[in-house]
Amino acid sequence: MREKILGFIAYLLVRFIGMTLRVKMHFPDKETEVEFLKRFKNKKPNPELNYLLAFFHQDELCLLNHWRNRRVSVLISISKDGEIMNNASRFLGYESVRGSSSKKAVSGLIAAIRKVKTGASMAFAVDGPRGPIYKVKDGICAVSRKTNTPIMPVRAKSSRTKIFEKSWNKAKFPLPFSRIDLYFGHLRQYETSELESQLNNLLVS
């Protein structure tokens, strides 16, 4: 019950702030923009239009509102904190797959592969659940290989941000009335090292 209540409170907070945010998407080229937006706007499971969204844990709070109610699946850790996030995600319109890179990793990976094979798009915090920060784990690339699904890397930059310096991921909390700039990479399959390089370079001017 506690996790459900905290999850609902987290949902209300995310939605309240989300209603004040302005979002601008940036793409590396027009072809990528057209192809991704076609997939982004699709809300039905479709193996021809699904994708895997790759982001760092740090950017998660800046992304939650933009993908809500789009039937995107998320991999959520099996823990008390994960249960809170699971409830908040469901209120936001996400579909959850439970597992992580540290606990029940194999079962989580298998569940993710099965979900994506049904045509679902899926979002991965690729350096989770406890880092190291900015280091991509192989899970998303394994799912991409097994399902032949392209990966879309994304980083977020907020104009007004509270950074939790003591957290391992230096989590960014967008303040009300911020502008969120989303910087996308190329939509394709990646090796783990390539994906890590792409994500780490997206915010480099």
Side-chain angles (χ1 to χ4, degrees):
M1 178 62 72
R2 173 179 175 273
E3 285 77 15
K4 288 184 178 180
I5 293 172
L6 291 176
F8 184 66
I9 292 172
Y11 156 73
L12 291 176
L13 181 61
V14 169
R15 283 301 300 125
F16 171 74
I17 293 177
M19 289 187 290
T20 74
L21 301 177
R22 295 168 293 126
V23 177
K24 172 73 173 178
M25 295 191 284
H26 306 269
F27 295 91
D29 51 58
K30 189 65 177 179
E31 181 181 356
T32 300
E33 178 179 4
V34 170
E35 180 59 30
F36 178 70
L37 289 181
K38 179 173 64 176
R39 295 168 185 259
F40 177 75
K41 292 175 182 177
N42 175 63
K43 295 184 180 181
K44 296 180 180 179
N46 186 338
E48 299 298 320
L49 291 175
N50 64 345
Y51 62 94
L52 308 179
L53 188 72
F55 59 94
F56 288 135
H57 249 291
Q58 180 186 69
D59 295 331
E60 187 171 43
L61 296 174
C62 294
L63 303 174
L64 278 173
N65 268 287
H66 199 57
W67 270 268
R68 70 182 185 86
N69 292 330
R70 293 192 175 277
R71 299 197 63 169
V72 172
S73 297
V74 289
L75 184 62
I76 297 176
S77 66
I78 303 170
S79 64
K80 289 184 178 179
D81 288 345
E83 188 59 32
I84 295 170
M85 188 64 186
N86 180 47
N87 285 296
S89 296
R90 288 181 176 177
F91 285 125
L92 288 165
Y94 292 91
E95 298 180 4
S96 62
V97 174
R98 304 306 298 272
S100 74
S101 59
S102 62
K103 188 176 183 181
K104 295 190 176 180
V106 174
S107 62
L109 182 63
I110 291 172
I113 290 170
R114 287 175 176 168
K115 188 69 174 179
V116 174
K117 281 185 174 180
T118 68
S121 292
M122 193 160 186
F124 291 80
V126 294
D127 56 347
R130 296 184 180 89
I133 190 171
Y134 307 137
K135 292 294 183 180
V136 174
K137 307 292 178 62
D138 188 53
I140 188 172
C141 294
V143 174
S144 177
R145 290 191 297 269
K146 291 291 186 180
T147 62
N148 196 32
T149 304
I151 296 171
M152 173 52 89
V154 63
R155 293 297 312 276
K157 184 177 181 181
S158 174
S159 61
R160 299 174 65 245
T161 310
K162 165 65 177 177
I163 298 178
F164 294 92
E165 296 288 353
K166 292 184 179 180
S167 64
W168 72 263
N169 58 355
K170 309 297 183 188
K172 296 185 295 191
F173 187 83
L175 298 177
F177 304 101
S178 299
R179 167 173 163 156
I180 306 292
D181 287 284
L182 301 179
Y183 295 90
F184 293 91
H186 290 93
L187 182 68
R188 64 177 179 85
Q189 289 186 283
Y190 289 84
E191 294 298 325
T192 304
S193 60
E194 292 178 317
L195 180 58
E196 185 174 301
S197 178
Q198 173 85 124
L199 282 166
N200 278 306
N201 285 316
L202 282 177
L203 294 186
V204 177
S205 57

